Structures are given as C-alpha cells and as structure tokens.
Amino acid sequence: MTTSQIYTAGNVLASTSLGTWEKECFSVFQHDLISKDRPFPCVLGVEGFKQDLLRFCFVSEDEGGIENLAACLYQYLQEFRTIGRYTSFVAFFEPGETLSLAEYEQKFWGVLQALHERDEYEWPEDTPQDPSHPLWEFCFSGEPIFVVCNTPAHLERKSRASKTFMITFQPRWVFEGLDETSKKGQHVKKIVRKRLQTYDNVPVHPELGWYGQASNREWKQYFLRDDQDGLQTCPFQTKRGKVHASKKSLY
C-alpha cells in the first residue's frame, strides 16, 4: 500500500508496507545510479545516493496521490538543508497505462501545475514568475527547485529513462557554487557532458545550459525529449500573489 511517507534508501529496502511496484522501481533506479559499467551522468545525484542524502516518495494513481506528493515535498523542503549538499527528492509514480512520450510530457507539466495550485506559500520575490526569464525556476513552499522528469517512453535519451514515470526535485541550494565561473562547476559540467555522450544514443540536448545565462531557460531542461526538439512556450502558469489564476487542476 502506498503511503505519503518519505523514505531513505534503507527505508525502502527494509519496508514491509511498500508493495512490489515500489520496490521494483526503486531497485531499477538504484541499479542505474550506482552502475560501474555505465556511469550515470548526473554526478550530483550519484554522490547524493552514495551518501544517503536522497529522499523518496511513492505516488499512487488514485485521487489522493497528488495530495500525498504535495505533503511529502513540503515536508522535505522544511528539512533539506539539514540532510546534505547533494540531496534531492525523488517521486516514483505508480505504473499505469503505457503512455507516449508526448503524453508523459503533458502529464509532467500537469503535475507541476497541480503542485503549484496547492502551494500555500508566496512565490519568492527574488525568483521571476515569468518562465521566459533566465532566472525563473519552479518554486514550492517558497523554495526554487530544479526539476527533472524521467519516463519509460524515453528510448534514446537513456539518461531520462526510468522504470516508471518519475520526477526528481533538486533545490537550487544544491547548485550554489556550481556555475560557469567556478572551477568546480566547470569540472562537474565536463564530467556530465562526457558521460552523456556515451550514456545516451542521441547528442547532448542543446537546451542544457547554466542557470542565469541570458539564453538559458530552466523549464526547457525539465523534460527533454528523445530528439533535439522541445516546446517553444512553457505550459506552466504562475499564480499571482495569493490569487489563484485557475482552480482547475491539470493533473
């Protein structure tokens, strides 16, 4: 039975309340992250997993699934700075009907919109609300978060493939000191790009860039397709102040 509990890697493996799909999806994720034969490109995620800094939740397909996700994400964001610099929050969604890549893309943006509609906190004043701004980032509970979506429909871009629909939330705090001007940032970029070239069956996506660069748009990196194309307009709609632009959930 799926719960709204946040898990560590050890909790998942030892849990008696989690079912088959939860443990199978986690096992595949774990295998991909710590594989020595095919080093996973996201070095921060790999290091975070090795240091037991990642946190996990499992999202059911019933009506309470998105509520549980919002509750878990909120809880995580209250404590992530006490966990460690390379922490991330990974949400595994219950496997259901097999979807196309385009359908997963639509579902992904629907989840972000649904989380946003449930967010009781103001959008941070220092984070632009316009996705076309180079400093825009998805925010929840007052925290800017870089978001990555993986799906079973990714066949060529293996770095975005997963056993089930999966979303990783990385607080922007994790990336402090890792930018285009820092030696550490350049070092990490070099390793990631090198691994992507051998891990994926397609070239590195042209939208991968540095946060804050004039030409960079964070939202375009959240969901990468198997080809080099992508949406030209961000589907995400930011509510203004305390007023919801729309009460209709997209999830």
Side-chain angles (χ1 to χ4, degrees):
M1 178 179 178
T2 303
T3 71
S4 58
Q5 179 180 344
I6 294 178
Y7 294 85
T8 63
N11 292 152
V12 174
L13 296 174
S15 175
T16 58
S17 62
L18 292 175
T20 301
W21 78 261
E22 292 97 332
K23 293 193 174 185
E24 284 185 351
C25 291
F26 177 82
S27 293
V28 172
F29 171 84
Q30 177 181 241
H31 176 270
D32 290 343
L33 235 61
I34 64 176
S35 173
K36 294 182 179 180
D37 297 328
R38 298 180 69 242
F40 194 74
C42 181
V43 293
L44 298 186
V46 171
E47 189 61 30
F49 188 86
K50 289 180 178 179
Q51 296 184 28
D52 197 25
L53 305 179
L54 305 191
R55 297 296 181 265
F56 308 92
C57 80
F58 299 90
V59 185
S60 64
E61 284 292 318
D62 58 33
E63 293 182 359
I66 196 67
E67 303 293 345
N68 290 338
L69 173 59
C72 285
L73 183 57
Y74 171 80
Q75 180 182 335
Y76 168 77
L77 292 173
Q78 306 311 300
E79 59 190 26
F80 73 90
R81 287 182 176 84
T82 68
I83 298 174
R85 178 61 69 175
Y86 299 141
T87 185
S88 293
F89 179 77
V90 182
F92 298 96
F93 288 70
E94 182 178 3
E97 178 185 0
T98 301
L99 303 178
S100 66
L101 199 56
E103 289 171 324
Y104 277 123
E105 185 174 30
Q106 183 179 24
K107 179 175 181 176
F108 165 70
W109 287 109
V111 170
L112 288 197
Q113 194 69 47
L115 286 173
H116 182 59
E117 294 297 337
R118 289 162 173 77
D119 189 6
E120 298 179 357
Y121 283 74
E122 295 281 350
W123 197 266
E125 291 185 2
D126 57 352
T127 302
Q129 295 192 28
D130 182 0
S132 65
H133 195 288
L135 292 177
W136 181 89
E137 195 79 277
F138 174 74
C139 297
F140 190 82
S141 189
E143 295 288 347
I145 310 166
F146 182 71
V147 189
V148 174
C149 185
N150 292 61
T151 81
H154 280 89
L155 302 179
E156 302 300 328
R157 201 172 298 281
K158 301 293 187 179
S159 57
R160 293 298 178 105
S162 55
K163 175 73 173 178
T164 190
F165 181 70
M166 182 183 91
I167 301 178
T168 301
F169 300 85
Q170 294 180 287
R172 177 126 299 277
W173 172 79
V174 170
F175 302 99
E176 288 183 3
L178 297 174
D179 55 47
E180 60 181 324
T181 64
S182 71
K183 290 184 178 180
K184 188 174 182 180
Q186 290 292 344
H187 179 65
V188 169
K189 177 183 177 181
K190 183 178 180 179
I191 295 175
V192 171
R193 292 298 177 100
K194 184 177 180 179
R195 290 186 179 183
L196 282 173
Q197 289 172 359
T198 57
Y199 201 89
D200 291 343
N201 297 334
V202 289
V204 175
H205 201 285
E207 295 297 349
L208 292 179
W210 292 106
Y211 176 72
Q213 276 188 333
S215 61
N216 186 67
R217 298 296 179 268
E218 288 289 284
W219 69 268
K220 291 187 176 184
Q221 303 178 52
Y222 289 1
F223 192 104
L224 298 182
R225 299 174 179 175
D226 267 351
D227 56 25
Q228 305 300 79
D229 295 331
L231 295 171
Q232 297 304 306
T233 303
C234 182
F236 184 81
Q237 297 293 317
T238 310
K239 61 191 180 186
R240 305 292 175 174
K242 295 183 179 180
V243 180
H244 288 250
S246 171
K247 292 293 184 179
K248 182 180 179 181
S249 172
L250 298 181
Y251 179 77

